[in-house]
Amino acid sequence: MSIANASHKMGNPVYPIMFAIGVCHLFNDSLQSVIPAMFPVLEEERGLTFTQLGLITFMLNIVASILQPVVGFISDKKPMPYALPLGMISSFVGIAGIAFSTEYWMILVSVVFLGFGSAIFHPEGSRVSFMAAGSKRGLSQSIYQVGGNSGQALAPLISAFILVPFGQKGAALFLIVAAIGIFLLSRISIWYKKELEAEKLSKRKKTIFSSLPPLSKKQVGIALTLLMIIIFARSFYVTNMTNFYIFHLMENYDLSVKKGQLFIFIFLVLGAVGTFFGGPMADRFGRKNVILLSLAVPIPLCLILPYVPIWAVILLLVIIGFFLMLSFSVTVVYAQELVPSKIGTMAGLTVGLAFGMGAIGAVLIGILMDYIGVYKTMIVVSTLPLIGLVALALPTDRKIANLK
């Protein structure tokens, strides 16, 4: 296939499906966000330590991390359209358990159900986004991922306006969100199944174009390793901001839980905005260029964040949030184009690794905070974005804009 015809061969975008799966991603990650949003409540009502809170996030994320590549690998062999609503049903059970758990072990079991639901949703949801994308892969993945990041951004608001006033049982309100998600995903699954049947009947193999030059297996392996290191650094940092930065704001700036959560909300909202713009920018300027921009800009700002006055915190959170998450959807597409025959596996690996790194990060950060204190932990975490500079060694891709 010639480069000039690449965009045409990739087909037309199916926008209703692109947006619908993005909305469902918002629902799915809103349910996940109930967990970090509940941390201040659990610390006060249940007397949990930072380490115990970190273990809750570990259980949630490690289940999703381990199972996502497995689900992706299986779906590459045999796509599973109706797995999407089944995953949301698992999340429904998890939220019900979270709302009414009276013991610590019950909370851990409940988050396993949430993690299982997330493990099913993410690789299959990413596959639907890829199938609906046509020639707009960056845009489609951005719409999909911005839905998820918007759901994550709701965590501080969930904490401030639902869980703090209503306590642990306030999480039961999110059973409504899960129910709507089950309905929408059932409808999307019908489209998904029809697409697979049409492809089978026409006996056609979908063209999978990569913007990357031909690479050897060794080069692909090195590039994937570098990508995993980038995801590691970003996930550790975001996990700290989502789960534990609130305690830094409360301890060092004397902010209330509600006011502190609004600061986290600003960081996450700008992260969602960055996620949205990252995909189209990567289509136009190249995947590697956007990944580099995403990692280079936040480095000095992250390093000074623990030391600045409160008025500067807001400004830095805006810039860091936007640029750090600019590459979130781009790393998924980049991995898929490194191994274009394994779309589900690559989605599961990249997003699953993000969950896994978040899981390990939550435990390590919790332990650090218990042993060296909140402030010193924030200083240690501020150096993590430096690791992302390994992106300089990634293979350079061709700009999709030049392929039209």
Side-chain angles (χ1 to χ4, degrees):
M1 180 179 60
S2 68
I3 292 177
N5 292 325
S7 179
H8 172 73
K9 292 290 185 181
M10 286 190 280
N12 297 319
V14 185
Y15 288 104
I17 297 298
M18 285 165 59
F19 283 102
I21 197 65
V23 169
C24 290
H25 199 183
L26 185 151
F27 289 166
N28 181 84
D29 283 27
S30 294
L31 301 180
Q32 311 297 309
S33 293
V34 170
I35 304 306
M38 195 176 284
F39 278 9
V41 174
L42 292 175
E43 186 201 25
E44 184 177 340
E45 291 186 4
R46 303 289 177 190
L48 301 185
T49 65
F50 291 127
T51 302
Q52 287 176 310
L53 295 176
L55 283 171
I56 292 173
T57 300
F58 177 82
M59 289 297 293
L60 171 66
N61 290 356
I62 204 67
V63 171
S65 175
I66 291 172
L67 292 181
Q68 277 192 55
V70 175
V71 172
F73 179 79
I74 293 171
S75 67
D76 280 332
K77 300 285 186 182
K78 184 178 177 58
M80 304 176 289
Y82 291 102
L84 284 166
L86 289 176
M88 190 62 74
I89 289 171
S90 178
S91 293
F92 183 97
V93 174
I95 284 293
I98 286 292
F100 301 108
S101 293
T102 56
E103 301 290 339
Y104 181 63
W105 69 266
M106 295 172 67
I107 295 173
L108 294 179
V109 171
S110 298
V111 298
V112 167
F113 277 97
L114 274 172
F116 184 69
S118 181
I120 294 174
F121 175 83
H122 281 99
E124 284 296 278
S126 187
R127 177 183 294 278
V128 168
S129 174
F130 191 92
M131 290 172 66
S135 61
K136 302 289 186 181
R137 287 183 190 166
L139 174 63
S140 184
Q141 192 63 220
S142 281
I143 292 171
Y144 174 66
Q145 296 295 352
V146 82
N149 288 353
S150 297
Q152 294 171 24
L154 292 175
L157 300 186
I158 292 169
S159 176
F161 298 106
I162 297 177
L163 298 178
V164 170
F166 298 105
Q168 185 178 340
K169 291 184 179 179
L173 291 171
F174 290 88
L175 293 174
I176 300 170
V177 174
I180 297 172
I182 292 167
F183 172 77
L184 286 178
L185 288 170
S186 297
R187 304 298 297 174
I188 291 171
S189 293
I190 294 172
W191 174 85
Y192 185 176
K193 185 179 180 183
K194 286 180 179 177
E195 282 291 297
L196 293 173
E197 289 173 348
E199 185 177 326
K200 186 177 180 181
L201 285 172
S202 64
K203 295 182 180 180
R204 61 182 168 87
K205 190 164 182 156
K206 193 159 187 164
T207 301
I208 301 177
F209 174 78
S210 175
S211 67
L212 288 159
L215 300 171
S216 67
K217 287 185 178 180
K218 182 179 179 180
Q219 288 173 316
V220 169
I222 292 171
L224 280 175
T225 300
L226 294 174
L227 212 58
M228 299 305 109
I229 293 171
I230 291 165
I231 293 171
F232 155 80
R234 186 183 63 207
S235 297
F236 257 59
Y237 191 84
V238 173
T239 292
N240 176 70
M241 300 302 291
T242 305
N243 294 275
F244 297 107
Y245 191 66
I246 178 64
F247 298 108
H248 173 66
L249 292 172
M250 293 165 62
E251 181 179 294
N252 291 278
Y253 297 102
D254 295 322
L255 296 185
S256 66
V257 172
K258 182 177 287 189
K259 286 184 179 179
Q261 293 289 16
L262 291 176
F263 278 65
I264 310 302
F265 176 69
I266 290 170
F267 172 81
L268 294 173
V269 164
L270 267 295
V273 174
T275 298
F276 178 77
F277 282 102
M281 286 175 64
D283 283 343
R284 183 169 181 81
F285 301 111
R287 321 284 189 219
K288 179 180 177 178
N289 291 334
V290 172
I291 292 172
L292 277 172
L293 179 69
S294 169
L295 297 166
V297 173
I299 287 174
L301 306 180
C302 292
L303 289 172
I304 66 172
L305 181 62
Y307 309 101
V308 298
I310 191 64
W311 64 267
V313 168
I314 299 176
L315 178 61
L316 293 184
L317 290 179
V318 166
I319 302 172
I320 293 170
F322 177 84
F323 279 97
L324 196 64
M325 300 305 290
L326 202 64
S327 64
F328 190 89
S329 62
V330 182
T331 51
V332 178
V333 176
Y334 191 95
Q336 289 174 330
E337 292 190 346
L338 277 171
V339 192
S341 61
K342 301 291 183 182
I343 299 303
T345 304
M346 289 301 102
L349 182 64
T350 51
V351 181
L353 183 73
F355 275 91
M357 291 300 99
I360 297 169
V363 174
L364 293 179
I365 292 167
I367 293 171
L368 271 177
M369 288 174 67
D370 279 333
Y371 281 93
I372 68 173
V374 175
Y375 184 64
K376 289 181 180 179
T377 300
M378 295 302 113
I379 294 173
V380 172
V381 171
S382 72
T383 63
L384 285 172
L386 286 165
I387 300 172
L389 290 177
V390 299
L392 289 165
L394 286 172
T396 301
D397 57 296
R398 292 167 286 178
K399 304 174 183 68
I400 295 297
N402 290 340
L403 305 180
K404 295 184 180 178

